[in-house]
Amino acid sequence: MKRSLRITKQRKIIIEELGKTQSHPTAAEIYEAVRKRLPKISLGTVYRNLEFLSEIGVIQKLEMAGAQMRFDRTTSNHYHIRCVICRRVDDAPMKPSNSIDPALSENSGYSILRHKIEFMGICPNCKASGGQSIFDIASESTKA
């Protein structure tokens, strides 16, 4: 089945809503925002359009280990950091390394197309509220 590249009203609003946030929302979060403007839109329509928009490179789909799929309006190469407590995802405040791909290619024989790096930690909000991750608890128990 050939999919239309035209910009439908639904696609336009999905892109606009995703562009309004610095966070990296889930499909359900995007659906809730879009539904305020298009009350009759279905979750399935939002999912299909998010998938399509990520396939053609208009948005970026973040498939992070152990986390719900999220979406990002920024399509340029950049890294992300995920809170292991609340699952918040932010852009990592650093520039991507240009030396990783050639070094790995040289050492592995692979032709590297791109790389994604995900950092994990505890976000400032969880840290301020005294939140502990399972890693903190495990670390403390090995010190005893």
Side-chain angles (χ1 to χ4, degrees):
M1 178 170 100
K2 189 174 180 179
R3 293 164 82 174
S4 169
L5 290 178
R6 69 186 178 90
I7 188 73
T8 63
K9 183 176 183 178
Q10 291 96 341
R11 290 175 186 165
K12 182 177 186 286
I13 291 173
I14 287 168
I15 293 166
E16 287 172 358
E17 290 301 321
L18 189 53
K20 286 181 182 178
T21 180
Q22 291 296 94
S23 72
H24 300 75
T26 64
E29 291 167 337
I30 296 167
Y31 167 69
E32 288 302 321
V34 169
R35 208 168 70 138
K36 291 175 185 167
R37 294 174 62 187
L38 296 173
K40 294 183 180 184
I41 196 165
S42 72
L43 181 58
T45 298
V46 171
Y47 270 108
R48 282 190 299 280
N49 279 289
L50 287 169
E51 192 65 37
F52 174 72
L53 292 168
S54 69
E55 285 173 10
I56 64 169
V58 172
I59 65 173
Q60 187 177 167
K61 179 170 55 173
L62 307 177
E63 299 177 84
M64 302 177 131
Q68 213 175 10
M69 194 176 341
R70 294 178 174 271
F71 296 88
D72 191 347
R73 182 64 184 102
T74 304
T75 57
S76 62
N77 187 25
H78 63 285
Y79 302 145
H80 295 97
I81 186 165
R82 176 173 50 95
C83 179
V84 297
I85 297 173
C86 71
R87 304 280 190 229
R88 169 180 156 179
V89 177
D90 290 306
D91 291 339
M94 63 184 287
K95 293 184 183 205
S97 171
N98 294 326
S99 63
I100 294 173
D101 295 1
L104 183 58
S105 183
E106 186 178 313
N107 291 318
S108 70
Y110 278 74
S111 294
I112 305 302
L113 304 174
R114 64 187 163 278
H115 67 270
K116 291 184 179 184
I117 295 179
E118 172 191 357
F119 297 92
M120 292 167 282
I122 300 172
C123 73
N125 293 342
C126 289
K127 218 159 64 172
S129 66
Q132 282 190 306
S133 74
I134 195 71
F135 302 112
D136 294 329
I137 296 165
S139 173
E140 288 170 5
S141 69
T142 58
K143 292 177 186 172

